[in-house]
Amino acid sequence: MLAALSLTGCLCMAILAGCAGTAQSASEPELEEATVVRVVDGDTLVADVGDQEEKIRLIGVDTPESVNPDASKNTERGKDASENTKAILTKGKSVWLEADAQDEDKYNRKLRYVWLEKPTDPNSREEAESKMLNAVLVKDGWADPMRIAPNTKWADLFQELDDAA
């Protein structure tokens, strides 16, 4: 009888530990794998997400214009930023998408942080600096931080990277 109670206690502890692990992982953002189809400009791309092409707008960053229908708004710096993003996001490259508070913008583009490499800790500032496209573009001077609430999870990091550049 004592052995049965001990075994039951161990089983309950294992179940509780499993539940605690599940609760912890709930605070981690969900990352969705996608495949780059093409780059539109410095801060927008098209990706195959679950067998559906989606236009993705990088959250929290802004690059100069390069493909605006009003040609007077396009700049050489915008063309350079677009070419830089194209060099990073080659066709067929796997990326991981992280959403924030809003799913889409007013142009029906998915709003996402784009991880170039799947992070071991998707809440790590250190990993974001080197593995997240949004942060890399700011750090390297290709994009400016753009804080638009409520999508501000990484806004402080982007601002710090910009201030340090």
Side-chain angles (χ1 to χ4, degrees):
M1 177 76 163
L2 189 55
L5 286 175
S6 177
L7 181 59
T8 303
C10 288
L11 182 58
C12 287
M13 292 302 287
I15 291 169
L16 289 173
C19 291
T22 302
Q24 275 185 326
S25 64
S27 66
E28 287 189 9
E30 183 179 321
L31 300 179
E32 185 172 22
E33 189 169 5
T35 304
V36 174
V37 173
R38 66 183 172 87
V39 171
V40 175
D41 63 14
D43 53 32
T44 308
L45 66 133
V46 175
D48 185 354
V49 185
D51 293 326
Q52 183 173 342
E53 285 191 9
E54 297 282 357
K55 195 174 257 191
I56 310 292
R57 173 62 168 83
L58 301 180
I59 299 174
V61 301
D62 187 40
T63 61
E65 294 294 326
S66 64
V67 294
N68 194 299
D70 178 353
S72 69
K73 293 183 178 183
N74 297 324
T75 67
E76 197 60 39
R77 187 168 174 259
K79 291 175 189 169
D80 291 343
S82 181
E83 289 303 315
N84 178 69
T85 300
K86 286 176 183 175
I88 295 169
L89 295 180
T90 55
K91 183 177 181 174
K93 178 176 180 56
S94 289
V95 294
W96 288 263
L97 307 175
E98 176 186 347
D100 204 332
Q102 292 176 312
D103 188 52
E104 294 183 347
D105 66 7
K106 64 183 179 182
Y107 304 108
N108 298 318
R109 298 177 295 188
K110 297 289 185 186
L111 297 170
R112 298 293 185 267
Y113 301 104
V114 176
W115 291 86
L116 301 169
E117 195 177 314
K118 189 171 186 180
T120 54
D121 177 0
N123 291 313
S124 165
R125 292 171 62 91
E126 292 76 23
E127 282 196 83
E129 284 184 41
S130 62
K131 295 180 181 178
M132 182 195 294
L133 178 62
N134 315 50
V136 168
L137 292 177
V138 172
K139 188 169 126 179
D140 292 347
W142 294 108
D144 295 318
M146 182 175 66
R147 181 185 294 259
I148 299 178
N151 302 306
T152 58
K153 175 183 178 183
W154 294 103
D156 290 341
L157 172 64
F158 299 161
Q159 190 59 56
E160 290 169 22
L161 293 171
D162 187 57
D163 291 346

